[in-house]
């Protein structure tokens, strides 16, 4: 091209002369654009566009390619990782290679020499390259080594397992599995033994996606390695076990995982919940409440006493909402205590109790002990039975603000559920400040606007947001409940009193372009219109 890369950057206004000079000194082998991208001056997309225009090298979207094993295997994994170069197509002796820096002539020469092919470089986003390399090369290398060493499950004894699961291949395989899940934004990892193989699935934005399919012989090694990381008994395979893993992502960052094992007919299934501490640092304004719902929720959680319940299915964000509320009302002059099963996140300034049912520390016993420690605010992980319900209601009526969760379909039916659990209606209306029902819907991908791209794994969605139904207990609702109104009647009355249903809140977010109607119907359903 007639322009240098630096001139092109300056003429297009993508960088200033000072920024170009700083990038030139960074030692990136002359690729000023790459240095600017690492400095945050250029976005990944801007880097691709500027290199594409400057070099006349086409850009490829790796998610659009059906990457075939015979093409991927042409290039040694060491070269792939060294140069971030992925072979995507081979026609005769012409090999098309996707690269982050197609200007790297050393990489092109090395690849040509190693493969005996004429290399046709194309440019791809580094995020896409990293994802492909993790999935098809790093994971494959580790898995192949583990498969070589694995033997049928019934031939392992405990001492063999202890020795083998500290070996480098299985350590790398498990570490790569967790690292990939975190990088893809997964909330859970499912390690599932089948009749003849092992399936590893990631739950991303509420949907499970298959990511690995190793031979069945690797199953005892993977499970035992995870058990050792979680300080569990590797010899015990007949009963469920629970544990926790502190996993280091790099020298600075780490992530907590909650682990559960469950014996099924083909072996032990393991589920790892990836706990994201950033989720509990959300302010109430960041939880996705509409202005109307946020005002009502803040009013509920800032009263000096009373019961506030969050309801919805497992994984609907109830705990995040309550933790965010605790952060909002936390202050040095307040004694805040929680009893949870288990404690998922540590909160500064909050006294947290972990339930241990096997040694007799139940919700009820923990809560009773807590009430003798002069609390101002209490959070109970879940109301599961009549005894816990009676205890939290008694606490709410004796000058404590109590937050908890319960499993019901919507906000109004929570009131009748409390009565069905054995609580007299007059206690329900006297103790309850309000109820928040919620679901999580997938958010439209900001990069592609729901068309599907590499950043959203071609789903059109990236991330999730909550839709809410906030019910404040008004005098009219109190009287209706005392008169024995059904949940359907309470629901009609609540809407007349100004309650916005989850479906209506979801449609409002559709109008804002945050999600789609199909997603709202999928998650909330049509029963709640």
């Amino acid at each position: 091209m007639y322009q240098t890369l630096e001139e092109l950057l300056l003429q297009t206004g993508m960088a200033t002369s000072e920024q170009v000079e700083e990038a030139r000194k960074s030692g990136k082998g002359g690729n000023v654009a790459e240095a600017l991208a690492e400095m945050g001056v250029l976005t990944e997309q801007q880097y691709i566009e500027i290199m594409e225009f400057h070099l006349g090298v086409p850009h490829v979207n790796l998610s659009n390619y059906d990457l075939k094993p015979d093409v991927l295997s042409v290039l040694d994994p060491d070269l792939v990782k060294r140069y971030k170069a992925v072979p995507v197509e081979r026609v005769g002796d012409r090999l098309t290679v996707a690269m982050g820096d197609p200007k790297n002539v050393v990489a092109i020469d090395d690849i040509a020499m190693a493969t005996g092919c004429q290399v046709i470089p194309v440019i791809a986003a580094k995020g896409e390259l990293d994802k492909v390399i993790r999935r098809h090369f790093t994971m494959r290398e580790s898995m192949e080594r583990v498969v070589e060493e694995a033997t049928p499950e019934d031939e392992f004894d405990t001492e063999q397992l202890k020795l083998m699961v500290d070996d480098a291949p299985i350590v790398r395989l498990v570490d790569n599995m967790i690292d990939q899940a975190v990088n893809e934004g997964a909330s859970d990892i499912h390690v599932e033994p089948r009749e003849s193989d092992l399936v590893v699935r990631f739950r991303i934005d509420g949907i499970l996606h298959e990511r690995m399919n190793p031979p069945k012989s690797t199953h005892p090694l993977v499970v035992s390695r995870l058990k050792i990381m979680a300080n569990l008994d590797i010899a015990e395979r007949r009963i469920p076990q629970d544990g926790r893993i502190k996993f280091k992502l790099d020298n600075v960052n780490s992530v907590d995982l909650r682990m559960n094992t469950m014996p099924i007919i083909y072996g032990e299934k393991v589920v790892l919940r990836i706990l994201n501490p950033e989720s509990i640092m959300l302010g109430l304004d960041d939880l996705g409440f509409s202005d109307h719902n946020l005002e009502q929720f803040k009013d509920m959680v800032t009263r000096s006493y009373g019961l506030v319940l969050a309801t919805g299915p497992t994984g609907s964000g109830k705990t995040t909402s309550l933790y965010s509320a605790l952060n909002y009302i936390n202050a040095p002059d307040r004694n805040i205590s929680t009893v949870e099963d288990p404690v998922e996140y540590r909160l500064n300034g909050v006294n947290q109790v972990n339930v241990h049912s096997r040694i007799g520390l139940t919700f009820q016993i923990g809560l009773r002990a807590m009430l003798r420690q002069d609390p101002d605010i209490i959070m109970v992980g879940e109301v599961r039975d009549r005894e816990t319900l009676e205890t939290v209601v008694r606490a709410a009526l004796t000058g404590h603000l109590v937050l908890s969760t319960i499993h019901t379909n919507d906000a109004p039916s929570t009131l009748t559920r409390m009565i069905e659990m054995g609580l007299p209606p007059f206690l329900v209306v006297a103790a309850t400040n309000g109820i928040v029902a919620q679901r999580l819907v997938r958010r439209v991908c900001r990069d592609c606007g729901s068309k599907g791209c590499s950043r959203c794994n071609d789903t059109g969605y990236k991330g999730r947001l909550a839709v809410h139904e906030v019910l404040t207990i008004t005098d009219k609702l109190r009287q209706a409940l005392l008169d024995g109104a059904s949940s359907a009647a309470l629901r009609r009355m609540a809407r007349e009193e100004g309650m916005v249903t989850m479906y209506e809140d979801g449609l409002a977010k559709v109008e804002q372009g945050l999600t789609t109607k199909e997603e709202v119907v999928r998650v909330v359903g049509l029963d709640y219109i």
Side-chain angles (χ1 to χ4, degrees):
M1 303 292 289
Y2 66 91
Q3 288 177 312
T4 67
L5 182 57
E6 294 175 16
E7 288 173 344
L8 185 58
L9 287 162
L10 292 171
Q11 287 180 18
T12 56
M14 287 188 173
T16 65
S17 56
E18 292 81 7
Q19 290 168 333
V20 168
E21 182 62 28
E22 184 181 350
R24 189 188 293 123
K25 295 176 180 177
S26 68
K28 271 292 169 189
N31 192 337
V32 175
E34 184 178 358
L36 288 169
E38 291 194 1
M39 290 162 53
V41 175
L42 298 179
T43 65
E44 192 171 64
Q45 187 58 38
Q46 286 174 324
Y47 169 75
I48 288 172
E49 289 171 357
I50 202 80
M51 294 299 290
E52 188 174 19
F53 183 79
H54 175 63
L55 299 175
V57 173
H59 159 238
V60 296
N61 186 337
L62 289 180
S63 62
N64 292 338
Y65 270 86
D66 179 18
L67 298 172
K68 294 181 170 56
D70 60 327
V71 176
L72 293 173
S73 62
V74 166
L75 199 55
D76 186 90
D78 288 338
L79 284 177
V80 170
K81 287 182 277 190
R82 185 189 310 163
Y83 295 124
K84 282 196 176 179
V86 174
V88 294
E89 192 173 28
R90 181 176 183 176
V91 179
D93 64 349
R94 292 168 60 89
L95 183 67
T96 301
V97 180
M99 307 173 68
D101 181 12
K103 193 180 177 183
N104 189 335
V105 292
V106 173
I108 293 170
D109 287 346
D110 281 359
I111 293 169
M113 186 175 298
T115 60
C117 294
Q118 179 188 352
V119 176
I120 312 299
V122 293
I123 188 168
K126 290 195 173 180
E128 293 180 20
L129 287 166
D130 287 339
K131 190 184 297 184
V132 170
I133 291 169
R134 275 196 306 271
R135 187 176 301 174
H136 293 281
F137 292 92
T138 307
M139 294 286 284
R140 189 185 75 196
E141 264 190 305
S142 301
M143 194 186 305
E144 286 172 353
R145 287 289 307 279
V146 172
V147 170
E148 286 174 12
E149 299 178 5
T151 57
E153 186 168 1
D154 55 7
E155 294 183 17
F156 283 115
D157 60 34
T158 302
E159 293 306 315
Q160 279 182 298
L161 281 172
K162 285 180 180 177
L163 291 173
M164 294 183 70
V165 297
D166 284 330
D167 197 24
I170 186 62
V171 171
R172 283 200 301 270
L173 177 63
V174 172
D175 285 357
N176 289 335
M177 178 183 73
I178 297 172
D179 187 64
Q180 181 177 333
V182 172
N183 274 285
E184 292 193 35
S187 60
D188 303 87
I189 303 170
H190 291 240
V191 180
E192 303 174 339
R194 304 283 173 85
E195 185 175 9
S196 58
D197 61 359
L198 178 66
V199 175
V200 177
R201 298 193 290 173
F202 298 165
R203 188 178 294 280
I204 302 171
D205 296 335
I207 306 295
L208 282 168
H209 302 270
E210 190 171 310
R211 284 293 179 262
M212 292 170 59
N213 193 217
K216 185 70 177 288
S217 59
T218 64
H219 174 245
L221 294 174
V222 172
V223 173
S224 296
R225 174 61 189 166
L226 289 169
K227 282 183 176 180
I228 284 178
M229 293 170 73
N231 295 314
L232 300 180
D233 183 358
I234 67 169
E236 181 55 76
R237 303 171 190 168
R238 301 163 300 170
I239 61 173
Q241 295 187 68
D242 292 295
R244 199 178 183 107
I245 297 171
K246 186 84 169 181
F247 181 76
K248 292 191 71 173
L249 296 169
D250 50 44
N251 293 331
V252 177
N253 301 302
S254 61
V255 66
D256 287 330
L257 300 103
R258 195 179 76 203
M259 174 172 164
N260 173 265
T261 71
M262 172 69 72
I264 62 175
I265 60 172
Y266 296 121
E268 284 183 282
K269 174 178 176 179
V270 176
V271 175
L272 299 165
R273 167 65 57 89
I274 300 171
L275 304 176
N276 178 11
E278 293 180 3
S279 67
I280 65 158
M281 301 309 293
L282 294 174
L284 290 185
D285 294 343
D286 301 317
L287 291 177
F289 283 106
S290 66
D291 292 342
H292 171 75
N293 285 340
L294 180 60
E295 183 181 348
Q296 289 187 303
F297 187 55
K298 284 183 175 179
D299 176 65
M300 291 177 194
V301 300
T302 52
R303 297 183 195 179
S304 57
Y305 65 92
L307 176 63
V308 179
L309 290 171
T311 184
T314 301
S316 60
K318 303 184 297 297
T319 302
T320 296
S321 294
L322 293 187
Y323 275 177
S324 298
L326 288 181
N327 278 329
Y328 179 71
I329 59 183
N330 194 3
D333 61 347
R334 289 175 174 163
N335 178 14
I336 303 178
S337 298
T338 76
V339 54
E340 306 169 61
D341 182 19
V343 172
E344 293 193 359
Y345 304 102
R346 275 63 170 175
L347 297 173
N348 289 329
V350 176
N351 309 292
Q352 295 175 271
V353 175
N354 208 1
V355 166
H356 289 287
S357 300
R358 290 184 183 177
I359 61 171
L361 181 53
T362 62
F363 272 118
Q364 295 87 354
I365 291 173
L367 186 52
R368 286 173 189 161
M370 192 179 293
L371 288 170
R372 293 192 285 270
Q373 297 222 332
D374 187 33
D376 298 301
I377 300 163
I378 297 168
M379 189 186 93
V380 179
E382 184 182 345
V383 173
R384 297 178 177 175
D385 50 49
R386 176 177 176 174
E387 190 176 357
T388 306
L389 178 61
E390 288 176 343
T391 308
V392 299
V393 166
R394 193 177 304 116
L397 291 173
T398 53
H400 306 90
L401 179 66
V402 183
L403 311 181
S404 190
T405 70
I406 192 169
H407 286 283
T408 57
N409 289 329
D410 59 6
S413 65
T414 305
L415 297 170
T416 53
R417 173 67 179 142
M418 293 165 75
I419 295 171
E420 290 166 0
M421 290 173 73
L423 199 68
F426 74 90
L427 287 181
V428 174
V429 299
T432 309
N433 290 353
I435 300 160
V436 178
Q438 65 182 69
R439 302 284 192 279
L440 293 178
V441 296
R442 289 182 293 173
R443 185 189 289 270
V444 167
C445 176
R446 294 183 177 93
D447 292 298
C448 67
S450 82
K451 296 182 182 70
C453 66
S454 62
R455 288 181 176 83
C456 64
N457 289 312
D458 287 318
T459 63
Y461 299 97
K462 182 72 173 174
R464 290 191 289 176
L465 74 157
V467 293
H468 301 96
E469 187 171 275
V470 181
L471 175 64
T472 299
I473 311 302
T474 64
D475 290 339
K476 190 173 179 181
L477 282 169
R478 286 190 181 94
Q479 189 57 54
L481 197 63
L482 291 171
D483 292 340
S486 66
S487 58
L490 291 172
R491 184 174 185 79
R492 286 193 299 270
M493 195 173 297
R495 294 185 70 179
E496 292 169 2
E497 296 276 284
M499 184 190 81
V500 177
T501 68
M502 283 184 286
Y503 185 80
E504 291 166 337
D505 189 47
L507 290 186
K509 290 177 167 87
V510 172
E511 289 293 320
Q512 297 167 36
L514 300 175
T515 187
T516 63
K517 186 174 181 180
E518 292 78 14
E519 182 66 5
V520 173
V521 171
R522 181 185 72 84
V523 174
V524 179
L526 295 171
D527 296 337
Y528 304 114
I529 298 175

